[in-house]
Amino acid sequence: MTSEFAIAVHALVYLHHKDTVVSSEELAENICTNPARVRKVMAKLKKKALVGTKEGIKGGYHMAADASAVTLRRVCDALEEEVVKASWKSGSIDMDCMIASGMAGMMDGIYSEMNAQCKDYLETVTIEDVEKKVTGCPKKQKI
């Protein structure tokens, strides 16, 4: 999983808590990253109807979905990310050794199962749940 997931969750929690239109600059300042990176992530969330946008001087992003129904799985899927993935595989299917020729496929199966289990867990956590845990207060209290 990349840092885009953390940016997306942070941004959605912040937008839900603020309950107003927020610029990419304000989001970036709160997330501690740059606005261009925020806009890249937010474009993916907008494409999946998790956020909406408002044009103009006081433009920016707002929640477009019910935070109590937006699961972290939905966020992960919107970003088209796998939770666990390998950038390198050991062995080679062309080698004349059962271990070397079979290990990459075996590890793919293990990663696939880990992804399924992680996504099952992410299905149980909503943006509203994260906000409540972070703030320890009801939505309308300002941070």
Side-chain angles (χ1 to χ4, degrees):
M1 182 169 288
T2 68
S3 58
E4 284 190 357
F5 181 74
I7 292 168
V9 172
H10 189 134
L12 290 169
V13 169
Y14 189 74
L15 288 173
H16 180 251
H17 193 80
K18 294 292 278 189
D19 196 25
T20 190
V21 175
V22 176
S23 70
S24 58
E25 290 78 13
E26 182 178 341
L27 282 170
E29 183 178 330
N30 193 268
I31 296 168
C32 300
T33 191
N34 66 66
R37 194 167 182 207
V38 168
R39 287 189 292 272
K40 179 182 172 190
V41 172
M42 299 307 280
K44 293 178 182 182
L45 299 180
K46 181 180 179 187
K47 194 175 189 179
K48 297 297 182 177
L50 295 173
V51 298
T53 57
K54 179 182 175 191
E55 301 295 325
I57 294 173
K58 294 192 180 209
Y61 301 94
H62 60 88
M63 284 291 294
D66 179 0
S68 66
V70 177
T71 66
L72 298 190
R73 164 78 184 256
R74 190 169 164 196
V75 175
C76 186
D77 290 346
L79 299 173
E80 298 178 349
E81 288 199 9
E82 292 296 325
V83 180
V84 180
K85 62 184 169 186
S87 59
W88 176 80
K89 294 182 180 183
S90 63
S92 169
I93 197 161
D94 299 324
M95 292 181 73
D96 193 25
C97 170
M98 289 187 306
I99 305 298
S101 65
M103 192 55 71
M106 178 58 66
M107 294 307 295
D108 284 345
I110 290 169
Y111 294 142
S112 178
E113 182 60 31
M114 289 169 64
N115 269 307
Q117 290 180 14
C118 287
K119 286 186 176 185
D120 285 347
Y121 170 71
L122 293 176
E123 188 68 38
T124 69
V125 182
T126 68
I127 292 299
E128 188 174 70
D129 295 335
V130 175
E131 179 190 5
K132 286 178 183 175
K133 288 179 183 175
V134 169
T135 64
C137 65
K139 180 177 178 265
K140 294 299 176 190
Q141 291 183 4
K142 295 295 176 190
I143 53 177

